[in-house]
Amino acid sequence: MATTATLRELADLVGGSVLGDESIRIGQVAPIDAAREGDITFLANPKYAAKAKGTRASAVIVAPGVEVPGLNLLVVKNPYLAFAKILTHLKVVRPEPKGVMEGAWIHPSAILEEDVTVYPGCTIGEGVRVGRGTILYPRVTLYDRVQVGEECVLHAGAIVREECRLGNRVILQPAAVIGSDGFGFAPDGPRYFKIPQVGIVVVEDDVEIGACSCIDRAAMGETRIRRGVKLDNMVQIGHNVTVGEDTVMAAQVGIAGSTVIGNHCTFGGQAGTAGHLRIGDNVMIGGRGGITSHTEGNQVLSGAPAIPHKDWLKASMSFAKLPEMRRELSRLKNQVEALEKLLKEK
């Protein structure tokens, strides 16, 4: 059954206030130009307030100070966050537990706590422990002695290798790999000798790891993904890396081995770091940015090698002019050489 709520109830949910009819019932969240009666929409940016005047939504989520005459308003400091919470409240329903389905293979020593769901095709190894309410979708593989916390969701094809640990409410998107071997080889003449990767990966609470992302196990010790980290699809985390709390990484980011990243950092798509670096808290790195040295916290960087974002913007504006500047430099050089020759002749 679809969930509905009054505008007052939704305001209480997100810590907002209501201007207008508190009793109207809301059934879903919809885009501002597609909303209908019974829907709620939102204005993340006040500059689109004029567009809201034509909406058919029953209510609009707005920031303080935004006025939309004739509409019911839910006023809240962060409309975008409120939108996410209301959408979750109205639409996200956790599936009922289904137990272990036929076609799953579970080692006799594995421990599954109550309300665990295991879909067909899953493999659960020796000594594994799966916490209450966790869902393992088809073809999830848990190697021996893996620990999975409570209320986790491991989507189809996710793999967690031996002895790695997941905290509570961790989400692995399809084909995510936790605990693959780190990229370690010792030169042996013209060849390479594989270094055993005997460490583990620890993923703390409330982490989400995107589809096809890989977190390498430590050569020794642990690779650690701290609480609240969000990784997009196809992110590569090398061995012995630590990613700080609430750090987010967009698609195709690559972090080389043994780098330590602070809390609340942001990596744009395809950004990367060299290995064995320390990056401070609250660092933002633009898309395709490359970090090649230790980096202090609280700054915004872009480019490869990364420089302060404002400097990078100025440099970027010069890129297109480089051919012209090169020709001008060559012309000036020829003039100087001609003058020098003339002076010598005198």
Side-chain angles (χ1 to χ4, degrees), residues 138-276:
R139 295 180 287 103
V140 166
T141 300
L142 305 180
Y143 281 44
D144 293 347
R145 298 176 296 284
V146 161
Q147 295 182 35
V148 179
E150 298 181 354
E151 299 182 357
C152 295
V153 178
L154 278 58
H155 286 281
I159 297 172
V160 185
R161 280 190 46 186
E162 63 275 18
E163 300 182 356
C164 294
R165 305 198 300 265
L166 306 185
N168 298 324
R169 300 172 298 281
V170 170
I171 299 174
L172 302 185
Q173 296 294 345
V177 179
I178 309 300
S180 49
D181 279 356
F183 193 66
F185 302 89
D188 181 14
R191 300 184 177 183
Y192 293 93
F193 187 86
K194 181 177 177 60
I195 301 172
Q197 305 292 297
V198 298
I200 63 171
V201 174
V202 178
V203 178
E204 298 184 358
D205 296 346
D206 301 305
V207 169
E208 180 161 348
I209 295 173
C212 298
S213 290
C214 296
I215 315 296
D216 286 351
R217 64 193 313 108
M220 294 181 287
E222 64 181 33
T223 301
R224 182 170 286 264
I225 311 298
R226 296 197 182 279
R227 182 203 58 75
V229 167
K230 312 298 182 190
L231 306 183
D232 198 356
N233 301 330
M234 301 180 72
V235 169
Q236 162 67 23
I237 304 294
H239 59 81
N240 292 90
V241 165
T242 296
V243 180
E245 293 184 358
D246 298 310
T247 286
V248 295
M249 297 181 182
Q252 298 183 356
V253 165
I255 308 298
S258 301
T259 286
V260 178
I261 298 171
N263 295 333
H264 206 265
C265 292
T266 301
F267 286 69
Q270 296 186 336
T273 76
H276 301 272

Side-chain angles (χ1 to χ4, degrees), residues 43-58:
L43 275 176
N45 192 328
K47 71 180 183 181
Y48 298 123
K51 196 174 181 180
K53 294 178 181 177
T55 185
R56 296 167 61 191
S58 293

Side-chain angles (χ1 to χ4, degrees), residues 104-163:
W105 185 88
I106 301 174
H107 192 279
S109 65
I111 298 174
L112 307 185
E113 297 182 359
E114 61 180 339
D115 295 336
V116 167
T117 297
V118 183
Y119 277 80
C122 290
T123 300
I124 299 179
E126 180 180 356
V128 168
R129 189 179 192 99
V130 180
R132 177 180 55 83
T134 284
I135 302 172
L136 307 180
Y137 282 102
R139 295 180 287 103
V140 166
T141 300
L142 305 180
Y143 281 44
D144 293 347
R145 298 176 296 284
V146 161
Q147 295 182 35
V148 179
E150 298 181 354
E151 299 182 357
C152 295
V153 178
L154 278 58
H155 286 281
I159 297 172
V160 185
R161 280 190 46 186
E162 63 275 18
E163 300 182 356

Side-chain angles (χ1 to χ4, degrees), residues 25-57:
R25 295 204 71 82
I26 302 297
Q28 67 176 1
V29 182
I32 195 167
D33 52 357
R36 297 179 295 182
E37 185 176 352
D39 296 345
I40 189 169
T41 189
F42 73 104
L43 275 176
N45 192 328
K47 71 180 183 181
Y48 298 123
K51 196 174 181 180
K53 294 178 181 177
T55 185
R56 296 167 61 191

Side-chain angles (χ1 to χ4, degrees), residues 286-309:
R288 295 188 172 183
I291 303 295
T292 57
S293 60
H294 297 308
T295 302
E296 297 292 330
N298 303 304
Q299 55 180 328
V300 181
L301 305 170
S302 291
I307 58 177
H309 182 68

